[in-house]
């Protein structure tokens, strides 16, 4: 438990910041889920509308240092990759949701040897 006045103030500030950051991350998660649902159902038009909104939310959250700017860029890139794969028709809606996950071979894993 904090004893000094400054330590008590830091605790109060940390609690406020944590609540703010959690709210921002929750908004990102909800928007990404909506985008992924549109991709999974194959709704290209809706996904195209949602991608700029999700990207904007990611950038704003990164600008406020809740997430790192490179993490925001990486997530934005992966979402765009899913949408582009769906639009190009290279993969179906179900596979588009899995696109961009960077699948690696299962060589050497328990699943591959079992």
């Amino acid at each position: 438990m904090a004893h000094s006045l400054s330590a008590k103030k830091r605790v109060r500030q940390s609690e406020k910041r944590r609540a703010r950051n959690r709210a921002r991350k929750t908004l990102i998660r909800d928007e990404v889920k909506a985008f992924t649902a549109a991709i999974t159902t194959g709704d290209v038009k809706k996904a195209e509308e949602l991608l700029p909104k999700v990207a904007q939310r990611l950038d704003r959250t990164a600008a406020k240092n809740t997430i790192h700017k490179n993490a925001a860029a990486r997530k934005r890139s992966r979402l765009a990759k899913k949408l582009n794969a769906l639009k190009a028709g290279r993969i179906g809606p179900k596979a588009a949701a899995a696109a961009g996950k960077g699948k690696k071979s299962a060589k050497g894993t328990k699943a591959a040897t079992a």
Side-chain angles (χ1 to χ4, degrees), residues 6 10 27 66 87 104:
S6 60
R10 292 299 295 174
L27 288 172
T66 300
K87 283 167 53 176
K104 294 184 180 178

PDB file of all heavy atoms in Angstrom, residues 6 10 27 66 87 104:
ATOM      1  N   SER A   6       2.705  11.416  -2.781  1.00  0.00           N
ATOM      2  CA  SER A   6       3.010  11.288  -4.209  1.00  0.00           C
ATOM      3  C   SER A   6       2.745   9.864  -4.704  1.00  0.00           C
ATOM      4  O   SER A   6       2.263   9.669  -5.817  1.00  0.00           O
ATOM      5  CB  SER A   6       4.457  11.684  -4.484  1.00  0.00           C
ATOM      6  OG  SER A   6       5.348  10.859  -3.768  1.00  0.00           O
ATOM      7  N   ARG A  10       0.131   8.688  -7.585  1.00  0.00           N
ATOM      8  CA  ARG A  10       0.524   7.827  -8.708  1.00  0.00           C
ATOM      9  C   ARG A  10      -0.444   6.655  -8.853  1.00  0.00           C
ATOM     10  O   ARG A  10      -0.786   6.245  -9.965  1.00  0.00           O
ATOM     11  CB  ARG A  10       1.953   7.301  -8.515  1.00  0.00           C
ATOM     12  CG  ARG A  10       3.040   8.336  -8.603  1.00  0.00           C
ATOM     13  CD  ARG A  10       3.104   9.013  -9.939  1.00  0.00           C
ATOM     14  NE  ARG A  10       3.470   8.076 -10.989  1.00  0.00           N
ATOM     15  CZ  ARG A  10       3.498   8.369 -12.276  1.00  0.00           C
ATOM     16  NH1 ARG A  10       3.190   9.575 -12.702  1.00  0.00           N
ATOM     17  NH2 ARG A  10       3.841   7.478 -13.158  1.00  0.00           N
ATOM     18  N   LEU A  27     -12.551  -1.095 -27.539  1.00  0.00           N
ATOM     19  CA  LEU A  27     -13.129  -0.553 -28.773  1.00  0.00           C
ATOM     20  C   LEU A  27     -12.430  -1.132 -30.002  1.00  0.00           C
ATOM     21  O   LEU A  27     -13.081  -1.469 -30.998  1.00  0.00           O
ATOM     22  CB  LEU A  27     -13.029   0.973 -28.779  1.00  0.00           C
ATOM     23  CG  LEU A  27     -13.970   1.700 -27.824  1.00  0.00           C
ATOM     24  CD1 LEU A  27     -13.646   3.189 -27.780  1.00  0.00           C
ATOM     25  CD2 LEU A  27     -15.413   1.488 -28.239  1.00  0.00           C
ATOM     26  N   THR A  66      -1.357   3.950 -26.193  1.00  0.00           N
ATOM     27  CA  THR A  66      -1.984   2.798 -25.552  1.00  0.00           C
ATOM     28  C   THR A  66      -1.425   1.523 -26.151  1.00  0.00           C
ATOM     29  O   THR A  66      -1.180   0.551 -25.437  1.00  0.00           O
ATOM     30  CB  THR A  66      -3.516   2.844 -25.726  1.00  0.00           C
ATOM     31  OG1 THR A  66      -3.992   4.042 -25.115  1.00  0.00           O
ATOM     32  CG2 THR A  66      -4.184   1.664 -25.068  1.00  0.00           C
ATOM     33  N   LYS A  87     -11.199 -10.039 -51.763  1.00  0.00           N
ATOM     34  CA  LYS A  87     -11.584  -9.325 -52.986  1.00  0.00           C
ATOM     35  C   LYS A  87     -10.999  -9.975 -54.227  1.00  0.00           C
ATOM     36  O   LYS A  87     -11.638 -10.022 -55.274  1.00  0.00           O
ATOM     37  CB  LYS A  87     -11.130  -7.868 -52.906  1.00  0.00           C
ATOM     38  CG  LYS A  87     -12.028  -7.026 -52.024  1.00  0.00           C
ATOM     39  CD  LYS A  87     -11.466  -5.682 -51.656  1.00  0.00           C
ATOM     40  CE  LYS A  87     -11.001  -4.837 -52.780  1.00  0.00           C
ATOM     41  NZ  LYS A  87     -10.555  -3.501 -52.321  1.00  0.00           N
ATOM     42  N   LYS A 104       2.853 -21.225 -40.491  1.00  0.00           N
ATOM     43  CA  LYS A 104       4.169 -21.836 -40.635  1.00  0.00           C
ATOM     44  C   LYS A 104       3.982 -23.334 -40.625  1.00  0.00           C
ATOM     45  O   LYS A 104       2.978 -23.856 -40.152  1.00  0.00           O
ATOM     46  CB  LYS A 104       5.090 -21.393 -39.509  1.00  0.00           C
ATOM     47  CG  LYS A 104       5.389 -19.910 -39.574  1.00  0.00           C
ATOM     48  CD  LYS A 104       6.365 -19.509 -38.532  1.00  0.00           C
ATOM     49  CE  LYS A 104       6.627 -18.007 -38.653  1.00  0.00           C
ATOM     50  NZ  LYS A 104       7.527 -17.510 -37.672  1.00  0.00           N
TER      51      LYS A 104
END
